Amino acid sequence: MYPKLIIDLKKLEHNTRLIVSKYDFPIMGVTKAFCAIPEVVEAMIKGGIGYIADSRVENLMKIKTTLPKVLLRLPMISQLDLVVSEVDMVLVSELETIVKMNDSAVKINKVMKIILMFDLGDLREGIWYKNDKSFVKDILKLTNIDLFGIGANLTCFGGIIPTDKHTEMLKNIKDELTSMGADIRMVSGGNSSSLHLKNFGVINNLRVGEAILLARETAFAKSIVEMYDDCFVLEAEVVEAGIKPSLPIGDVGVDAFGNVPSFIDRGPIERAILAIGKQDLHIDSIVFDGKVLGASSDHLMIEGKYKVGDIVRFKLGYGGLLSTATSPYVKKEVRGWLTFIQKLDA
Ligand SMILES: Cc1ncc(COP(=O)(O)O)c(C=O)c1O
């Protein structure tokens, strides 16, 4: 059955081991891009990650492990009871949330570890680094909250590339919080965009997803040698093939998504329609030798000579992986070094 996302567990284990071996501190393996499929998480665990990290508590709940589970997205106040019962460590930035998290933790007699996030300029989550930090004293008074560490996330919203300057900023923040009495044991310095740093200074943790999954660091989008970029492969089936004009015939209005399409007349071309579309796949995020002509919600048009029933294979970029892993219409199949094949219910 197609479309199908094929996941090679051994390649993923290899990639994980390679990243883990480069650092003398524990790596959080980020599992959200593949919706934390348990078999795939297992491969990352075998590769040596120290923590399982995901942005969604639903994903963390699927995983049976003795490793600590970390929630990456700032928790919603409405889900704090669930988060506190299911997760070991949470990234947070709002005092109000932390106070309410303490209430939830008191109810089940648990001490929650938190990583206080600081925004160093990327303008996504975190306390603005210049702001007054005296509220930390209020956190330290909470009975069931353990301020375990601080963290920062870059290259996500503002596209800011981590540098030594950011490491220095984290050191200053750590020193300031320590002077208030905090025992900061973890400085979670960044994601796959921090791998190029030569000197990690106070940083003693990274949260890594894309680099492990797709063999690419994300500060400069460079491939990482000796790692596999085809741990995830998408297969889709041709449902129509043949020659058609390259220029639509008739008056042009809008396409299925309300955009006015534009075409160049290249005469008749060989083309095929695949049974996958924008509902399942971020079409700008596929890696493929041929040419993509476009897509509607359920159909992907590609150029080339194919016949009905052919299976076309794609490597994926981050958006391609995220969308196909999330789509219930894309079947998932895990393979271990091609020695066994296991089908998962999508
Ligand atoms: C807070 C946080 N840390 C780390 C990551 C992992 O990022 P990457 O996949 O670029 O390594 C993400 C995103 O998935 C995130 O939101």
Side-chain angles (χ1 to χ4, degrees):
M1 288 276 277
Y2 298 93
K4 186 158 62 179
L5 183 65
I6 299 174
I7 308 157
D8 190 314
L9 301 182
K10 286 292 177 190
K11 287 183 179 175
L12 202 58
E13 186 182 326
H14 167 93
N15 282 6
T16 311
R17 188 165 292 119
L18 208 118
I19 289 285
V20 165
S21 68
K22 283 181 196 248
Y23 304 96
D24 59 3
F25 48 71
I27 295 293
M28 293 183 183
V30 178
T31 56
K32 56 170 256 194
F34 58 90
C35 301
I37 296 169
E39 289 81 349
V40 186
V41 178
E42 190 62 34
M44 289 175 99
I45 295 174
K46 282 191 191 150
I49 56 171
Y51 297 79
I52 317 280
D54 201 296
S55 51
R56 292 163 197 255
V57 68
E58 295 85 346
N59 285 347
L60 291 171
M61 286 166 71
K62 291 196 283 194
I63 305 163
K64 304 270 172 286
T65 176
T66 51
L67 290 185
K69 296 180 183 179
V70 182
L71 184 65
L72 292 179
R73 184 169 65 187
L74 309 174
M76 295 177 255
I77 286 178
S78 60
Q79 65 170 184
L80 283 175
D81 282 348
L82 184 67
V83 168
V84 166
S85 74
E86 296 294 335
V87 171
D88 302 292
M89 198 187 286
V90 188
L91 274 45
V92 279
S93 67
E94 289 280 357
L95 181 60
E96 187 182 347
T97 309
I98 300 167
V99 169
K100 292 201 162 113
M101 190 186 295
N102 184 62
D103 295 341
S104 295
V106 167
K107 277 194 254 172
I108 60 165
N109 199 21
K110 176 173 176 176
V111 174
M112 273 307 290
K113 287 188 165 61
I114 61 168
I115 301 290
L116 200 54
M117 294 300 280
F118 286 88
D119 184 345
L120 307 184
D122 198 55
L123 302 187
R124 206 180 72 176
E125 77 273 48
I127 297 144
W128 187 240
Y129 70 101
K130 287 184 181 165
N131 284 5
D132 175 46
K133 298 173 189 60
S134 52
F135 67 91
V136 165
K137 291 183 191 144
D138 295 329
I139 299 177
L140 296 175
K141 285 185 206 143
L142 297 170
T143 52
N144 290 51
I145 295 291
D146 175 8
L147 175 51
F148 190 73
I150 58 170
N153 196 61
L154 293 164
T155 341
C156 266
F157 180 65
I160 299 301
I161 294 174
T163 62
D164 291 348
K165 188 189 82 185
H166 298 107
T167 311
E168 187 61 25
M169 288 161 90
L170 284 168
K171 181 188 176 303
N172 293 339
I173 293 168
K174 180 183 176 193
D175 288 348
E176 194 176 338
L177 267 54
T178 305
S179 73
M180 288 182 224
D183 177 15
I184 302 299
R185 284 142 284 164
M186 178 181 279
V187 179
S188 186
N191 56 41
S192 296
S193 71
S194 289
L195 303 179
H196 66 281
L197 290 175
K198 297 272 177 288
N199 176 15
F200 284 89
V202 285
I203 293 174
N204 63 1
N205 174 262
L206 292 175
R207 311 171 303 273
V208 184
E210 184 163 351
I212 292 174
L213 307 176
L214 300 174
R216 195 174 45 234
E217 64 79 41
T218 56
F220 307 100
K222 277 201 202 131
S223 296
I224 306 176
V225 286
E226 297 171 338
M227 283 174 69
Y228 295 100
D229 65 357
D230 60 352
C231 298
F232 297 86
V233 171
L234 174 68
E235 291 187 342
E237 183 172 338
V238 174
V239 289
E240 183 189 291
I243 296 176
K244 281 192 184 175
S246 47
L247 186 70
I249 311 295
D251 296 333
V252 177
V254 291
D255 68 12
F257 285 81
N259 303 310
V260 179
S262 76
F263 295 89
I264 293 168
D265 190 359
R266 296 183 285 125
I269 50 170
E270 292 271 9
R271 33 163 271 157
I273 300 179
L274 302 175
I276 188 165
K278 288 186 181 174
Q279 185 163 3
D280 319 293
L281 172 64
H282 194 317
I283 65 155
D284 298 329
S285 183
I286 50 184
V287 183
F288 166 59
D289 283 342
K291 181 174 164 60
V292 173
L293 297 170
S296 56
S297 17
D298 306 311
H299 301 87
L300 176 65
M301 275 61 74
I302 59 172
E303 192 166 341
K305 200 169 165 55
Y306 296 92
K307 56 183 192 316
V308 164
D310 278 353
I311 305 301
V312 183
R313 309 186 91 212
F314 303 93
K315 287 196 275 190
L316 297 167
Y318 191 70
L321 172 57
L322 199 60
S323 48
T324 52
T326 308
S327 172
Y329 304 104
V330 178
K331 314 290 172 288
K332 318 301 187 281
E333 189 174 296
V334 290
R335 296 183 182 178
W337 215 244
L338 303 180
T339 51
F340 74 92
I341 296 178
Q342 188 183 346
K343 288 193 168 49
L344 299 171
D345 289 329

